[in-house]
Amino acid sequence: MDAFRTPEDRFAAVDWPEPAYAEVGDGLRMAYVDTGSPGDLAAPVALLLHGEPTWGYLYRHVVAELDAVGVRCVVPDLIGFGRSDKPLAVADHSYARHVEWVRRLVVDHLALTDVTLVGQDWGGLIGLRLVAEHPDRFARVVAANTGLPTGDVDMPEVWWQFRRAVESAPTLDVGRLVASGCRQGLADADRAAYDAPFPDEASKAGPRAMPLLVPTRPDDPATEANRAAWRSLGEWDRPFLVAFSDSDPITGAMAPILRGHVPGAALLDHPTLLDAGHFLQEDAGNELGRVVAAFMA
């Protein structure tokens, strides 16, 4: 497939570590930040997965808190986002492909085990599938403003409004989309960081594609795999923390469903992060980092 690779100078003013890269198939290179030391297999590992339309930079405040207590953070940029390669056709993106691209990084390239997943937005849609399909790799889960739709229940109207806006916008303003999902606002430098991966409209096929890949009907191509994941999660008895914000109209209804469905969520004290929107890593990133650190401890 034809893909775009964002020039490095686009990130010159972005305060985020230089990534490593992994070949994940289809001729594509995935970028990821790994805060661990080579050969250090003793440090606990957190896999931090972002969603639409952000990239690993979203987790900078969370990483600061985890790094302070010795947690190794692995923070990929999904294919189509950040410093990762960007297929230029919307049709080159599928739910199954995104799961497989991340699996190749986590399982084949890094061979991670005893992992704590932290998944928000599409980071949960992808990450929860990995947990369900490779449970031996994961020790615990933090679900943060995310879900696992099957198309059996309609998405909220605010999500449909977002999807229609992404589909119809002649120019997709990625920084504005991120800012609109933040309760506390977004600094100009941070907004620029979210715009940095996308120098032109052709490079934005990933952000354009992702809303189209959310299962919205029972016969969606991803529905059966997601139903299977729900069945697997219904037997997951390892720790499963639901850490949602208080002001996310898109995913908020999923919090009680996850808490009630996953056995590993029973008896845990599930926090609600206050005054935070969909992108709780921006609005309450340090607090989320402390929540994850305490959970892993």
Side-chain angles (χ1 to χ4, degrees), residues 2-22:
D2 292 331
F4 174 79
R5 185 168 292 173
T6 305
E8 280 301 311
D9 60 9
R10 292 280 300 180
F11 302 97
V14 178
D15 186 13
W16 183 240
E18 290 292 320
Y21 294 94

Side-chain angles (χ1 to χ4, degrees), residues 99 103 127-136 138 225-226 228-229 232:
V99 173
R103 187 204 66 79
L128 293 176
R129 280 275 297 273
L130 289 175
V131 169
E133 295 167 12
H134 305 276
D136 56 313
F138 294 88
N226 279 16
S232 178

Side-chain angles (χ1 to χ4, degrees), residues 47-49 59 116-125 127-128 131 140-148 230 233 236 239-245 248 251-252 254-259 262 264-265 268-273 278 280-281 288 291-292 295:
L47 174 67
L48 310 176
L49 295 182
Y59 278 102
T116 296
L117 168 71
V118 182
Q120 182 263 343
D121 191 89
W122 265 98
L125 273 72
L128 293 176
V131 169
R140 62 188 66 80
V141 173
V142 180
N145 288 3
T146 192
L148 196 60
W230 275 110
L233 292 172
W236 175 271
F240 190 103
L241 191 70
V242 180
F244 277 42
S245 69
D248 183 12
T251 66
M254 284 302 306
I257 295 172
L258 289 168
R259 291 195 302 263
V262 183
L268 293 180
D269 183 13
H270 301 278
T272 298
L273 282 73
H278 181 65
L280 72 172
Q281 301 98 318
L288 178 61
V291 165
V292 175
F295 180 54

Side-chain angles (χ1 to χ4, degrees), residues 92-113:
D92 286 335
H93 294 264
S94 73
Y95 197 148
R97 275 179 166 170
H98 277 280
V99 173
E100 175 61 11
W101 288 326
V102 178
R103 187 204 66 79
R104 290 186 180 187
L105 172 71
V106 172
V107 176
D108 296 346
H109 182 74
L110 292 173
L112 299 180
T113 58

Side-chain angles (χ1 to χ4, degrees), residues 95-272:
Y95 197 148
R97 275 179 166 170
H98 277 280
V99 173
E100 175 61 11
W101 288 326
V102 178
R103 187 204 66 79
R104 290 186 180 187
L105 172 71
V106 172
V107 176
D108 296 346
H109 182 74
L110 292 173
L112 299 180
T113 58
D114 201 32
V115 177
T116 296
L117 168 71
V118 182
Q120 182 263 343
D121 191 89
W122 265 98
L125 273 72
I126 294 168
L128 293 176
R129 280 275 297 273
L130 289 175
V131 169
E133 295 167 12
H134 305 276
D136 56 313
R137 296 277 174 173
F138 294 88
R140 62 188 66 80
V141 173
V142 180
N145 288 3
T146 192
L148 196 60
T150 62
D152 297 304
V153 177
D154 196 13
M155 296 293 288
E157 176 58 27
V158 66
W159 180 86
W160 282 107
Q161 292 172 4
F162 167 76
R163 172 172 160 162
R164 289 191 291 266
V166 171
E167 284 184 284
S168 62
T171 300
L172 192 62
D173 190 338
V174 172
R176 180 176 177 273
L177 286 176
V178 178
S180 69
C182 297
R183 184 74 180 271
Q184 304 297 327
L186 193 63
D188 289 344
D190 297 327
R191 182 164 172 166
Y194 290 115
D195 287 327
F198 308 109
D200 55 30
E201 291 305 303
S203 63
K204 300 174 186 176
R208 296 266 190 193
M210 293 308 252
L212 306 178
L213 304 183
V214 176
T216 58
R217 60 184 194 277
D219 62 345
D220 187 275
T223 289
E224 285 306 316
N226 279 16
R227 286 179 181 150
W230 275 110
R231 291 192 293 271
S232 178
L233 292 172
E235 300 176 355
W236 175 271
D237 59 2
R238 297 174 194 172
F240 190 103
L241 191 70
V242 180
F244 277 42
S245 69
D246 65 345
S247 300
D248 183 12
I250 295 177
T251 66
M254 284 302 306
I257 295 172
L258 289 168
R259 291 195 302 263
H261 182 75
V262 183
L267 305 180
L268 293 180
D269 183 13
H270 301 278
T272 298

